[in-house]
Amino acid sequence: MADAKRRLYQRAGATITDDENADGLVLAVVALEDDDEAIAAVARLKARGLLVNAVDRSALCDYTTPAIIDRDPVLLALGTGGASAGLAKALRQRLEQLLPASLGTLANGLLAQRERIQQRWPEASARRKAIDAVLDPGGRLDALVEHDLEELEAWLDQPHGEARSQVIDLELASIDPDDLTLRQARWLGQADQIFASADVPEAVLDRARADAGRFALTLWDETPIGGLTLRIRMKR
C-alpha cells in the first residue's frame, strides 16, 4: 500500500520523502501493519501540524485519497469517505472499462474548438443544446464511445447541428427520485422547460437543470416551445 500511495502522489506532482523530519512537509501517509506503530506515527505527525492519511485506518485519517480514473484532462475521483477502499477500487475498475481512452482527446478537442463552437452557436442556450445532443448516448460524439478529432471536425462542419425542439411526456410510477430510469434522469438533466403536475415531488424536479424553466402542468397550452420540453405527471 505504501508503494501504491507513492505512485498516486507522484502522478499528482507531489515531491515524496521518507524523512518525516524534513522541512516543508504538508501531507503524510502512514502505511504500517502494526496498529500501535501506526497510531504512534499518526499522533507524532499530527503534532507537527501535518494532515495525515492512515492506510486502512479511516478513524485516524484527516483526509482520504480517492480511486482515480485519469483521462487527462478528464479526471474522475471515487471516494467512500474512508468507508471502503475496496468498494472505491471496484467502482474504478468497472468505470475504467466504460470510459474510452480517447475521452481526454475529445475534451482537448472541444477546448481547442471553443471559439469555433461559440461562433457556430452564438446563443448560449442553442450552444448548450447542441453540445448536449452530440455527447448524448447515440450522439455523434457519444462520450462513452471511442472518437477521433476528425469526427469532431465533421460535427462542426455539418449544416444542421442544432438540437431540435421536442416535447416528451414522462409518467412517473414512484415519488423517489432514485427510481428514475437512466433515460428519465438524462431528460431531466437536459430539459429547457418542465411542466409538472402538482403531485410531482420537488425531490424529482431537483434532478433537473437549475436553469430549466418550471411551470405547472395546467399552464400547458400546446403552443410550440423551442428546445426540450418535459410534461411530467404521476402514474395513476
Side-chain angles (χ1 to χ4, degrees):
M1 285 303 299
D3 289 338
K5 292 286 188 180
R6 180 186 296 274
R7 289 191 295 270
L8 177 65
Y9 283 73
Q10 285 176 331
R11 286 203 300 266
T15 299
I16 310 296
T17 179
D18 291 324
D19 179 7
E20 66 180 67
N21 295 311
D23 293 330
L25 300 185
V26 178
L27 303 177
V29 176
V30 175
L32 297 171
E33 292 289 344
D34 184 82
D35 285 338
D36 291 337
E37 290 183 11
I39 292 171
V42 168
R44 187 169 62 250
L45 293 163
K46 286 186 176 184
R48 290 192 54 197
L50 302 182
L51 295 176
V52 180
N53 173 261
V55 177
D56 290 336
R57 296 177 177 88
S58 59
L60 300 178
C61 292
D62 294 313
Y63 71 97
T64 57
T65 52
I68 300 295
I69 301 175
D70 191 353
R71 299 286 189 272
D72 186 32
V74 179
L75 188 69
L76 279 71
L78 301 167
T80 63
S84 173
L87 176 58
K89 176 183 176 182
L91 291 171
R92 176 185 62 78
Q93 291 173 336
R94 294 285 293 276
L95 291 172
E96 283 274 12
Q97 299 172 8
L98 293 175
L99 299 177
S102 64
L103 193 57
T105 299
L106 176 60
N108 283 321
L110 289 169
L111 174 62
Q113 296 291 352
R114 177 176 293 176
E115 184 175 348
R116 186 177 172 189
I117 291 171
Q118 291 174 339
Q119 293 173 349
R120 181 73 174 82
W121 295 280
E123 294 186 3
S125 61
R127 184 165 60 248
R128 177 190 54 74
K129 286 185 285 186
I131 293 174
D132 284 350
V134 78
L135 296 176
D136 232 12
R140 293 188 64 178
L141 298 177
D142 184 333
L144 296 187
V145 176
E146 289 282 349
H147 297 290
D148 56 34
L149 293 180
E150 291 183 0
E151 292 174 272
L152 175 59
E153 287 284 343
W155 169 59
L156 290 172
D157 287 339
Q158 67 178 350
H160 303 294
E162 294 84 357
R164 297 175 296 175
S165 297
Q166 187 177 13
V167 177
I168 295 174
D169 286 302
L170 296 186
E171 190 174 62
L172 305 180
S174 170
I175 63 173
D176 187 343
D178 290 334
D179 289 335
L180 292 167
T181 67
L182 290 176
R183 179 174 294 180
Q184 289 170 338
R186 187 169 70 247
W187 280 334
L188 278 167
Q190 297 173 353
D192 298 287
Q193 300 87 207
I194 296 173
F195 290 80
S197 60
D199 55 351
V200 175
E202 281 294 320
V204 171
L205 297 178
D206 285 343
R207 296 294 177 94
R209 288 175 32 229
D211 60 342
R214 291 192 191 182
F215 309 95
L217 186 59
T218 55
L219 297 178
W220 176 259
D221 62 1
E222 302 292 343
T223 301
I225 301 176
L228 175 60
T229 300
L230 300 183
R231 295 188 297 193
I232 308 177
R233 49 176 63 85
M234 299 303 300
K235 188 173 183 179
R236 300 297 181 184

